[in-house]
Amino acid sequence: MSVNVSFILDLHETDLLDTDRLNNLYESGLKPLLTLLYAHPRLLMGISVSGPMLSYYKEHYPEAIQILGELTNRHQVEIISNGYYSPIFPLLFPIDRSAQIETLNTLMRDTVGKRPRGLSLFSSIWDPSLVTTFQSCGIEYVLLDKSLVPQSKNSFLPIISSEQGKNIKILTVHNDLLPQHGENGNQWSVRVIKSLPENFEEARSLIVCLKLTLENFVSVREDPGFHSFIDYIESENTLIQLTIPQSYLKNARHFIPYYIPAGMHEKLSDRTSVQFANQHNSSQFPYTIHDYLNTYVQTRHLYERMMYISMLISSCHGGDKMRKKLAQEKLWEAQAGDNFVSYNTALPSVAAKRQQAYKLLNEAERYIRESKSQNESITSFDYNGDGLNEYVCQMEKFNAVVSQNGGQIVDLNLLYAGANPASSLSRIERFDGVNDFYNRGFFVDHLLEYDQFDSFLQNKNIPNTLFPTCNYEEKRFDNKRREIQLEAHGNFSSMKLLVSLKKNFNFSSNGVSVQYILKNESPFSLKGIFVVELNLTQTHFEKDMNYTQYEVELIVDSTKKAVDENSVFKIDSGLSLLQISDKADKQLFLFEPNEESGFVTSNIAFRRDVGSSEPEVISNTRCAQFWWNVDLAADRAMEKTINLSIIPSKKS
């Protein structure tokens, strides 16, 4: 009796900036593996590779592509597809799904000589709607982690899943059965056999798929028993019969019909219910990638931006076809799964990866705008699917998104600088020592009691400040005048004083003016502190995390002052102009209040779990806060305005 085993090497990487790492992986991993396969014809393997990695090997190691082609021709290796940039398929429009698969399949056929029939999904992120797309691209089977299939259906047989009359075969991956350190071939094969159903008559009808990375192979090679393991696999009396998926499926006669609902790898599911916590999903409903995005806000914002650019491209008809093609290529690159989720840790990708994706999306939007002359505009629609309309402002040099939730700018995409400085994190207590109960965007509003203000300035927990979490109501929207008027109400202090805040945005080609009208709607006098907060997040990460990207200068009492980048700076009054210089993206942010204000600024470091033993600093944000004293009698109001101009730096 023998059982079929298929090893699948997963080369999913799409970021080719770290060439030293790629070259080291080739020399220590892929080159020895190809040499081993070439010298041992009885060793069979599937190889799933992303488009950028295959293109890199084609350019720098053509001998590897030649050997890979020979191994494929003699049916020792099967090339398995993905999307060109290893995207998360359920997050893409169908047209982008097909385009990414077809682009990679064409490259594989041109380099290796075979068109793939199977597909490996990024972190097994699955949705039944993918079936029709995959079949239209000639994909016959998909590899999915076993955690997506109930134990009763997980019997080491291929599954047939249907959607809208289309079928696809699914092979489950059982990585718990990978060879362990120090385990010889006989011990491993016994463990594999013991895991199989006892009542199945013909074990050779079963298949065990195992997925490994180059790092896995490098560590296995260093195991003292590696060569004896190879000898065991090649022996005549082994319990293991190596195969490749396509050869196995060609002769398979036993299939299990089962509809697999949307889901993803167990590692991702365990990271979904609570931010950065590892908690097993005990409910009867599987988590999906959209549940994951709802947990990690900044990752969801990147997804929303990606969908908006996809919509722009798909609705662009006519114009310069070459620029539209360039926009599509930038979009596909931004769709790489590694920009959203870390493949190895199942944690959200770090801020550096997100900002790289924003840069690509900004380039895509710039190409689309250049392909067909477009006027500046503001549109209102449910941009993020929260049930409330957002306002997408397409200005000449930037794209801004204003949310009714908090009444703030949550995205500020600088098209020519290629960054999104409004994509700031919020603090989490177990990493940063304090919790932020709101999103840190541009023009975040706070109304504080006097005894809260010192704690607020010291960045301590203030869970009940008024307005940052309010849902603002639209009072007026004028596309032609580029004006948005919002209003929020709330109860202030322990006296529950009714307060209203009108917030008027007026956009121009160079920036935005925000007018505030704070009114005491109660019959009693109101005293406190009104704060307007702006957060500019780090967008460049070439330097270490002690690097401060923003220089702060201001005019106080007609005197120019520079701010120490590494300390907290505070004044009680007199600020008339604030200039924040972005040293990396060569932009100036000029803030001018209509009345002199108090001011405080500091640099906030955000720590997160990145899979290492201790949380690490992954991003910094320059936080700037204007503030004024509030002393309003009943039914009285105060008005404040802040003008923001965004201009290229003279140093650029």
Side-chain angles (χ1 to χ4, degrees):
M1 181 184 74
S2 63
V3 63
N4 297 288
V5 172
S6 182
F7 284 96
I8 312 295
L9 180 68
D10 192 357
L11 306 176
H12 77 279
E13 293 191 43
T14 57
D15 187 353
L16 305 185
L17 295 178
D18 191 352
T19 55
D20 289 340
R21 180 175 180 274
L22 288 171
N23 294 334
N24 181 60
L25 275 177
Y26 174 77
E27 293 294 339
S28 62
L30 187 60
K31 182 178 179 180
L33 175 62
L34 294 177
T35 302
L36 177 71
L37 291 170
Y38 197 84
H40 297 79
R42 291 175 62 88
L43 297 181
L44 278 65
M45 176 172 282
I47 298 180
S48 172
V49 60
S50 71
M53 287 198 81
L54 188 57
S55 297
Y56 184 84
Y57 293 139
K58 177 185 177 182
E59 180 180 356
H60 297 278
Y61 302 103
E63 67 278 8
I65 299 299
Q66 184 179 353
I67 293 173
L68 195 56
E70 291 184 32
L71 294 171
T72 303
N73 286 333
R74 68 192 197 190
H75 303 290
Q76 187 180 350
V77 164
E78 178 185 352
I79 296 296
I80 298 173
S81 187
N82 200 313
Y84 189 89
Y85 286 102
S86 292
I88 299 173
F89 281 110
L91 299 184
L92 311 188
F93 283 161
I95 189 173
D96 292 328
R97 297 172 185 173
S98 300
Q100 290 235 22
I101 295 171
E102 290 294 347
T103 303
L104 179 55
N105 288 358
T106 300
L107 177 64
M108 288 178 166
R109 184 186 59 206
D110 294 343
T111 53
V112 182
K114 294 285 186 181
R115 183 179 177 87
R117 296 298 176 186
L119 189 141
S120 176
L121 294 179
F122 184 94
S123 290
S124 289
I125 300 174
W126 164 259
D127 190 276
S129 65
L130 300 175
V131 172
T132 52
T133 298
F134 292 164
Q135 193 178 80
S136 69
C137 294
I139 298 299
E140 298 174 0
Y141 72 88
V142 173
L143 297 165
L144 287 182
D145 187 75
K146 69 169 189 176
S147 59
L148 278 78
V149 181
Q151 191 170 358
S152 61
K153 302 292 182 181
N154 208 338
S155 55
F156 299 91
L157 285 172
I159 292 170
I160 290 285
S161 189
S162 301
E163 178 74 9
Q164 296 180 356
K166 307 293 184 181
N167 298 330
I168 198 163
K169 300 179 179 72
I170 293 173
L171 298 176
T172 51
V173 177
H174 299 258
N175 270 9
D176 55 321
L177 297 178
L178 277 170
Q180 298 177 355
H181 182 73
E183 189 176 43
N184 63 39
N186 186 62
Q187 292 170 328
W188 170 68
S189 64
V190 169
R191 183 161 63 89
V192 170
I193 295 298
K194 285 184 177 179
S195 69
L196 303 178
E198 296 180 359
N199 59 348
F200 203 84
E201 297 178 359
E202 297 186 31
R204 61 176 173 268
S205 297
L206 307 179
I207 184 168
V208 179
C209 292
L210 307 170
K211 189 181 287 189
L212 68 159
T213 63
L214 274 180
E215 289 89 347
N216 294 144
F217 176 72
V218 171
S219 73
V220 168
R221 281 185 65 225
E222 297 172 353
D223 195 308
F226 177 70
H227 292 290
S228 64
F229 182 85
I230 298 299
D231 292 339
Y232 174 81
I233 292 296
E234 290 191 304
S235 66
E236 295 292 337
N237 297 319
T238 178
L239 299 173
I240 300 298
Q241 177 67 45
L242 290 189
T243 187
I244 53 178
Q246 195 170 355
S247 296
Y248 165 80
L249 289 170
K250 185 177 180 180
N251 300 308
R253 294 295 177 268
H254 299 276
F255 300 93
I256 299 177
Y258 180 65
Y259 181 86
I260 299 180
M264 53 191 179
H265 196 288
E266 189 174 28
K267 290 194 304 182
L268 272 176
S269 292
D270 291 348
R271 295 287 192 176
T272 296
S273 59
V274 179
Q275 287 190 52
F276 297 94
N278 202 343
Q279 295 186 6
H280 182 68
N281 179 19
S282 57
S283 73
Q284 59 179 319
F285 301 104
Y287 287 133
T288 70
I289 186 60
H290 293 282
D291 296 318
Y292 187 91
L293 296 180
N294 288 334
T295 299
Y296 299 98
V297 174
Q298 289 306 328
T299 306
R300 189 180 74 237
H301 285 336
L302 176 60
Y303 161 70
E304 292 158 2
R305 175 69 174 157
M306 181 194 75
M307 293 302 292
Y308 176 73
I309 299 300
S310 298
M311 181 185 67
L312 281 185
I313 294 174
S314 64
S315 61
C316 179
H317 304 293
D320 189 329
K321 292 183 179 179
M322 181 56 70
R323 281 186 168 84
K324 182 177 179 181
K325 183 175 183 294
L326 290 171
Q328 287 176 324
E329 291 173 354
K330 293 299 181 182
L331 169 64
W332 295 341
E333 189 174 351
Q335 289 171 343
D338 279 329
N339 291 332
F340 297 85
V341 179
S342 170
Y343 187 84
N344 294 324
T345 65
L347 293 165
S349 293
V350 293
K353 298 286 286 185
R354 288 200 311 276
Q355 285 295 338
Q356 176 61 26
Y358 276 119
K359 179 179 180 180
L360 294 165
L361 294 171
N362 289 341
E363 289 182 61
E365 180 171 356
R366 195 171 72 244
Y367 283 130
I368 284 295
R369 290 196 189 187
E370 291 171 353
S371 72
K372 193 173 183 180
S373 179
Q374 294 185 7
N375 297 324
E376 294 182 336
S377 66
I378 300 179
T379 53
S380 174
F381 64 98
D382 191 358
Y383 174 86
N384 60 11
D386 65 351
L388 300 174
N389 280 357
E390 282 71 42
Y391 307 90
V392 180
C393 310
Q394 277 192 324
M395 299 295 108
E396 180 182 352
K397 297 177 182 178
F398 67 90
N399 177 298
V401 178
V402 179
S403 173
Q404 291 189 50
N405 187 357
Q408 59 180 282
I409 296 177
V410 293
D411 271 334
L412 182 64
N413 294 286
L414 308 179
L415 301 185
Y416 292 90
N420 180 5
S423 179
S424 181
L425 297 172
S426 296
R427 292 170 299 172
I428 299 175
E429 187 166 11
R430 67 179 182 279
F431 300 126
D432 305 310
V434 92
N435 269 327
D436 288 328
F437 296 89
Y438 60 95
N439 295 325
R440 286 183 172 271
F442 272 46
F443 298 102
V444 184
D445 320 313
H446 305 268
L447 184 58
L448 300 159
E449 297 181 65
Y450 287 125
D451 58 2
Q452 294 177 314
F453 191 50
D454 286 340
S455 295
F456 180 80
L457 296 182
Q458 296 170 26
N459 287 317
K460 294 182 179 180
N461 276 333
I462 307 290
N464 58 343
T465 65
L466 190 55
F467 299 125
T469 58
C470 284
N471 281 332
Y472 282 68
E473 179 184 355
E474 179 187 305
K475 304 304 290 185
R476 185 166 183 261
F477 170 58
D478 191 328
N479 180 18
K480 292 183 179 180
R481 298 179 63 181
R482 303 170 191 170
E483 182 179 3
I484 305 165
Q485 294 185 3
L486 305 176
E487 184 173 2
H489 296 82
N491 294 316
F492 177 66
S493 80
S494 58
M495 295 179 64
K496 306 295 183 183
L497 303 177
L498 183 61
V499 183
S500 68
L501 179 63
K502 293 181 180 179
K503 191 170 184 179
N504 302 330
F505 291 85
N506 284 275
F507 283 88
S508 68
S509 299
N510 296 320
V512 59
S513 175
V514 183
Q515 179 194 41
Y516 294 93
I517 301 176
L518 180 68
K519 185 176 182 181
N520 179 8
E521 306 276 4
S522 75
F524 306 100
S525 63
L526 182 154
K527 294 183 179 182
I529 307 282
F530 180 62
V531 181
V532 177
E533 176 183 320
L534 302 115
N535 296 278
L536 287 86
T537 192
Q538 182 178 359
T539 62
H540 278 249
F541 299 83
E542 289 84 354
K543 302 178 184 293
D544 62 46
M545 283 303 164
N546 293 320
Y547 167 68
T548 50
Q549 183 174 331
Y550 300 100
E551 290 180 344
V552 180
E553 295 178 312
L554 38 83
I555 294 178
V556 181
D557 297 328
S558 302
T559 303
K560 185 176 181 179
K561 291 186 178 182
V563 172
D564 185 347
E565 296 175 344
N566 298 309
S567 63
V568 177
F569 178 86
K570 176 181 177 292
I571 56 171
D572 292 331
S573 63
L575 175 71
S576 57
L577 182 68
L578 168 67
Q579 174 180 292
I580 299 181
S581 304
D582 183 342
K583 296 182 289 185
D585 291 322
K586 307 302 181 186
Q587 299 285 308
L588 293 179
F589 299 87
L590 296 179
F591 301 91
E592 185 176 7
N594 67 328
E595 294 182 18
E596 293 183 348
S597 70
F599 179 73
V600 62
T601 183
S602 62
N603 199 57
I604 301 175
F606 298 97
R607 292 172 174 80
R608 291 295 183 268
D609 180 2
V610 294
S612 55
S613 57
E614 294 292 334
E616 298 178 8
V617 175
I618 65 164
S619 178
N620 291 276
T621 285
R622 168 56 61 179
C623 179
Q625 296 161 329
F626 299 85
W627 58 274
W628 296 269
N629 286 304
V630 178
D631 188 356
L632 293 175
D635 202 36
R636 299 303 297 269
M638 61 179 277
E639 183 269 337
K640 304 294 178 187
T641 300
I642 297 178
N643 299 304
L644 165 61
S645 298
I646 306 170
I647 56 178
S649 169
K650 293 180 181 179
K651 299 177 183 178
S652 61

